[in-house]
Amino acid sequence: MAAAEMAASRKRMDVLSGVVPELKDIASAIDHLTKEDEAEELKRSLEDRKQTLQNSKQEQKELQESIREVRHNVFMKVLHSEKVRQIAEKEMKMMQEVDAETEKLKKEKATLMKRKEEMQREIGTYSPYRDFLEDVCKTSGHKNADDFATYYRNMLSLKEKFTEERKQRQEKKEHLTKELRTVEEQKTLQWLQRTNQLAELEEELKKAQSETLKWEREWSRIQTMKAESAQTQNCIKFSIQNTYEMCGYKITDQNVDDTTRQLKEIKAFIQEISEITKQYQKSLQS
């Protein structure tokens, strides 16, 4: 409402300022004052709203505190009742365990009493044997039945000891027998391997002997061929020497092998004779 009145006043001042120019500055001043009043009013309105918001936050905080307090009280009551319930359950469980343990002890006591009665009856059953042992002790020189029982236990201990030693010796014997059998099997296997190797070596020896005999025969053949070749060469040598002497040449040393030169001279001699023969035939024809 105040804003509307101020707007109407501003409008009237604008009209008057158009009529009276001096009133224009006054209108501007009034307008400025009006804007300041509006700003102040707006500021107060904002402060009121801010205060209202702060009051709302305070009320909300107090409400949250109240809710937390109520929740805490409820939780403590529930916790207290839960602890009471747990304590009661624990005590009840302990009482049940005590009752069960008591019942168990009663049963064990009854069992032990029954076992005691059975042992007493059993002792009564063995009493004739004890009397018999006492009579045996008197005749065997032992002081009492306990002394004889100790002697008997010692004898049993010695028997068990000897039995154990005999068992160990038997086990050792079996172990040694097993080792001997293993060694014999290994030796047999080694003998078979050696026999197989010997057979293979004998086979290789036979092959080597056969190959040696073959090469010996080849060597003998080569020696024979060499001897025959030497004999042939000697025959050729003697034939060349005879032919050489027949051509009128003389051999100074028979041991010197000079067949190449002799063949050349024989060839030259034959060529010379052939030439002479040709000339002679020509002379006869003419």
Side-chain angles (χ1 to χ4, degrees):
M1 185 66 182
E5 291 178 354
M6 291 178 69
S9 298
R10 192 183 303 112
K11 187 175 181 181
R12 286 195 297 271
M13 290 299 296
D14 290 338
V15 173
L16 290 173
S17 62
V19 178
V20 183
E22 290 80 3
L23 294 176
K24 188 175 183 179
D25 295 334
I26 297 172
S28 298
I30 292 172
D31 188 25
H32 180 69
L33 292 173
T34 302
K35 289 181 179 180
E36 288 181 354
D37 293 338
E38 290 178 355
E40 187 67 25
E41 185 178 357
L42 181 61
K43 184 177 180 181
R44 284 195 300 271
S45 177
L46 289 174
E47 288 179 355
D48 292 339
R49 290 183 180 181
K50 186 176 181 181
Q51 185 65 33
T52 303
L53 181 61
Q54 289 179 355
N55 294 333
S56 298
K57 288 183 178 180
Q58 184 66 27
E59 291 176 357
Q60 184 179 4
K61 185 176 180 181
E62 292 176 356
L63 181 61
Q64 289 178 352
E65 290 291 337
S66 300
I67 292 171
R68 280 198 293 269
E69 185 176 358
V70 171
R71 286 181 178 177
H72 178 71
N73 293 332
V74 172
F75 175 75
M76 292 302 294
K77 289 181 180 180
V78 172
L79 182 63
H80 180 70
S81 61
E82 182 68 20
K83 287 184 178 179
V84 171
R85 185 182 64 80
Q86 290 178 356
I87 292 171
E89 289 180 354
K90 186 175 181 181
E91 291 179 353
M92 183 65 69
K93 185 177 181 181
M94 290 177 63
M95 291 178 65
Q96 291 176 355
E97 291 177 354
V98 170
D99 293 339
E101 188 68 22
T102 303
E103 188 67 23
K104 182 179 178 181
L105 291 174
K106 288 180 179 179
K107 291 181 179 180
E108 290 180 355
K109 181 179 179 181
T111 303
L112 291 174
M113 293 298 294
K114 184 178 180 181
R115 179 60 180 165
K116 180 180 178 182
E117 293 176 357
E118 291 177 354
M119 291 180 68
Q120 288 177 351
R121 287 195 298 270
E122 189 174 355
I123 291 172
T125 305
Y126 290 151
S127 58
Y129 299 102
R130 186 174 183 85
D131 296 337
F132 174 75
L133 286 175
E134 289 179 354
D135 294 337
V136 171
C137 290
K138 292 178 181 179
T139 57
S140 61
H142 294 284
K143 295 179 181 180
N144 49 34
D146 294 333
D147 187 18
F148 180 76
T150 302
Y151 172 77
Y152 183 72
R153 282 194 294 269
N154 291 333
M155 292 297 102
L156 287 177
S157 177
L158 288 174
K159 180 182 178 182
E160 291 176 356
K161 181 179 179 181
F162 291 147
T163 304
E164 183 66 24
E165 289 179 354
R166 185 174 64 181
K167 182 180 178 182
Q168 291 178 358
R169 287 195 297 270
Q170 184 66 25
E171 290 177 352
K172 186 175 181 180
K173 179 181 177 182
E174 292 177 356
H175 179 69
L176 292 175
T177 304
K178 186 177 180 181
E179 288 184 351
L180 178 61
R181 191 179 299 111
T182 303
V183 172
E184 288 177 349
E185 290 177 355
Q186 291 177 354
K187 292 297 182 182
T188 303
L189 181 60
Q190 291 178 359
W191 181 80
L192 291 174
Q193 291 177 351
R194 294 291 186 274
T195 303
N196 294 332
Q197 291 177 357
L198 181 60
E200 292 176 357
L201 291 174
E202 288 179 351
E203 186 67 24
E204 291 179 359
L205 179 61
K206 289 180 181 179
K207 291 180 180 180
Q209 288 176 349
S210 177
E211 191 71 18
T212 302
L213 182 60
K214 176 182 176 182
W215 284 109
E216 285 179 352
R217 289 175 180 174
E218 185 67 20
W219 177 251
S220 178
R221 188 181 67 81
I222 292 171
Q223 292 294 327
T224 302
M225 291 177 62
K226 184 178 180 181
E228 291 176 354
S229 177
Q231 186 178 1
T232 303
Q233 288 179 359
N234 289 330
C235 291
I236 293 170
K237 178 181 178 182
F238 291 146
S239 298
I240 291 171
Q241 288 178 353
N242 291 331
T243 305
Y244 185 74
E245 289 178 347
M246 288 173 64
C247 291
Y249 299 107
K250 290 183 179 181
I251 299 174
T252 58
D253 189 359
Q254 295 289 337
N255 295 322
V256 177
D257 187 6
D258 199 9
T259 55
T260 303
R261 183 182 60 81
Q262 291 172 358
L263 283 172
K264 288 180 180 181
E265 291 181 358
I266 291 170
K267 183 179 180 182
F269 178 77
I270 292 171
Q271 289 177 353
E272 184 179 355
I273 295 298
S274 297
E275 188 66 29
I276 293 171
T277 303
K278 287 179 181 180
Q279 291 178 2
Y280 178 72
Q281 287 177 355
K282 285 180 180 181
S283 64
L284 290 176
Q285 290 177 359
S286 60

